[in-house]
């Protein structure tokens, strides 16, 4: 919640001449309404420090199980279509946005690729101390059979010019991001589809299905190629995946061939 709040309109610059805090970063500010979906009982919102109490509104729902809360979040998003928000976002509660361009990049992609395409971020975990892996991308390639269950017909890879260089996108090798951000047009398209609120929880569990399966049935999903994964990323809080390194997950080999950036891009776009 604090990360979302920091993308809002409480931003200022120190004016050294007048020793005042002047408004700053106006073109990258957002007005974000934070709604926390709960069952009204199993939550920790009442334990938050008083400074956080005004940042959100709790929405009480009746999910069939705690892991089905995401489906209730979908229902709530649809109930706000008449409010004409620019974006409708769904985030699991352990995700942190650091990039002030996060929402702008997703909208830029939609504008260029079309409303039938949806860009998702990569989730990363960070080491607490200098490590053999300081930045760990946790949604890596899935088994092909599992991937085709979610994305039977992947969209074509493509590239688009962007300040700083060309950005490359591909149908994700793992469609899960624990979140999505839709335009009003996109959310309307989903709510009018035959599979809207079908309750399908066949992708891993109801938790992952709520975040991923419905949008995969509705849109052509994309992520930046892993060679430039940080172009759109957000943090997965904690070290639940990073702690697997050196245990059930091997560290990267120090003998890996160092490909050039062009070689990497070409290879990923061909796959």
């Amino acid at each position: 919640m604090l990360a979302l709040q920091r993308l809002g309109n409480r931003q200022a610059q120190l004016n050294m001449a007048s020793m005042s805090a002047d408004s700053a970063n106006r073109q990258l500010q957002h007005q974000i309404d934070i709604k926390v979906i709960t069952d009204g009982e199993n939550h920790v919102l009442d334990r938050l420090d008083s400074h956080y109490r005004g940042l959100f509104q709790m929405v009480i729902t009746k999910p069939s199980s705690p892991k089905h809360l995401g489906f209730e979040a979908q229902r709530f998003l649809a109930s706000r279509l008449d409010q004409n928000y620019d974006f409708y976002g769904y985030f699991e509660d352990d995700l942190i946005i650091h990039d002030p361009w996060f929402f702008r990049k997703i909208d830029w992609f939609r504008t260029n690729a079309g409303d039938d395409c949806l860009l998702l971020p990569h989730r990363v975990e960070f080491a607490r101390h200098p490590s053999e892996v300081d930045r760990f991308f946790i949604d890596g390639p899935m088994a092909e059979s599992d991937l085709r269950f979610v994305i039977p017909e992947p969209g074509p890879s493509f590239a688009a010019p962007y300040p700083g260089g060309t950005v490359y996108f591909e149908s994700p090798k793992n469609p899960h991001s624990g979140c999505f951000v839709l335009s009003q047009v996109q959310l309307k398209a989903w709510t009018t589809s035959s599979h809207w609120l079908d309750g399908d929880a066949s992708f891993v569990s109801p938790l992952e299905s709520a975040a991923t399966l419905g949008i995969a049935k509705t849109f052509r999903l994309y992520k930046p190629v892993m060679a430039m994964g940080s172009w759109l990323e957000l943090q997965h809080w904690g070290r639940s995946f990073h702690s697997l390194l050196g245990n059930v997950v091997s560290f990267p080999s120090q003998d890996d061939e160092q490909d050039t950036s062009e070689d990497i891009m070409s290879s990923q776009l061909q796959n």
Side-chain angles (χ1 to χ4, degrees), residues 19 23 75 103 133 185 225 245:
M19 290 307 293
S23 180
R75 191 188 309 276
F103 294 103
V133 178
V185 170
V225 298
L245 286 164

Side-chain angles (χ1 to χ4, degrees), residues 120-124 135 137 224-234:
L120 300 172
H122 291 286
R123 296 188 303 171
V124 296
R135 188 183 223 97
F137 292 85
V225 298
M226 184 44 59
M228 52 191 351
S230 285
W231 189 84
L232 189 71
E233 69 175 19
L234 77 178

Side-chain angles (χ1 to χ4, degrees), residues 33-78:
D33 289 343
I34 304 175
K35 313 294 184 182
V36 182
I37 311 299
T38 79
D39 64 0
E41 298 179 1
N42 301 292
H43 62 83
V44 295
L45 297 178
D46 55 342
R47 303 182 191 179
L48 288 174
D49 184 88
S50 59
H51 295 294
Y52 290 85
R53 300 288 171 81
L55 299 186
F56 67 93
Q57 176 188 358
M58 180 168 66
V59 177
I60 299 175
T61 62
K62 295 182 179 180
S64 56
S65 80
K67 285 192 174 183
H68 284 79
L69 273 174
F71 293 105
E72 299 304 316
Q74 294 176 8
R75 191 188 309 276
F76 179 80
L77 287 176

Side-chain angles (χ1 to χ4, degrees), residues 63-110:
S64 56
S65 80
K67 285 192 174 183
H68 284 79
L69 273 174
F71 293 105
E72 299 304 316
Q74 294 176 8
R75 191 188 309 276
F76 179 80
L77 287 176
S79 75
R80 292 298 184 270
L81 271 170
D82 61 350
Q83 301 297 308
N84 294 320
Y85 288 98
D86 295 316
F87 311 119
Y88 293 79
Y90 171 109
F91 294 88
E92 293 177 357
D93 61 4
D94 55 2
L95 301 178
I96 303 172
I97 300 173
H98 297 287
D99 183 1
W101 286 89
F102 183 86
F103 294 103
R104 295 290 183 89
K105 288 177 178 178
I106 292 174
D107 193 49
W108 171 84
F109 176 88
R110 179 192 61 80

Side-chain angles (χ1 to χ4, degrees), residues 17 72 131 175 259:
E72 299 304 316
S131 166
D259 295 326

Side-chain angles (χ1 to χ4, degrees), residues 244-266:
L244 302 177
L245 286 164
N247 297 310
V248 298
V249 176
S250 61
F251 282 105
S253 171
Q254 298 300 313
D255 298 325
D256 288 344
E257 181 179 354
Q258 299 298 310
D259 295 326
T260 66
S261 295
E262 291 184 359
D263 290 340
I264 294 172
M265 299 303 181
S266 175

Side-chain angles (χ1 to χ4, degrees), residues 88-92 95 97 99 101-110 113-114 116-124 137 139 142 147 150-151 158 167-183 186 190 203 208-226 228-235:
Y88 293 79
Y90 171 109
F91 294 88
E92 293 177 357
L95 301 178
I97 300 173
D99 183 1
W101 286 89
F102 183 86
F103 294 103
R104 295 290 183 89
K105 288 177 178 178
I106 292 174
D107 193 49
W108 171 84
F109 176 88
R110 179 192 61 80
D116 62 327
C117 297
L118 178 61
L119 182 64
L120 300 172
H122 291 286
R123 296 188 303 171
V124 296
F137 292 85
D139 297 308
M142 300 169 54
L147 181 58
V150 184
I151 306 178
F158 66 92
V167 185
Y168 298 83
F169 304 96
E170 65 180 356
S171 180
K173 296 178 174 64
N174 184 332
H176 188 62
S177 291
C179 68
F180 55 78
V181 177
L182 305 176
S183 70
Q186 288 176 317
W190 186 9
F203 177 59
E208 290 81 7
S209 294
T212 304
L213 199 51
I215 57 173
K217 293 179 180 180
T218 310
F219 308 102
R220 288 193 296 172
L221 302 183
Y222 283 90
K223 290 184 180 181
V225 298
M226 184 44 59
M228 52 191 351
S230 285
W231 189 84
L232 189 71
E233 69 175 19
L234 77 178
Q235 181 184 357

Side-chain angles (χ1 to χ4, degrees), residues 141-157:
M142 300 169 54
E144 186 71 13
S145 59
D146 295 334
L147 181 58
R148 293 297 156 249
F149 171 75
V150 184
I151 306 178
E153 298 181 6
S157 301

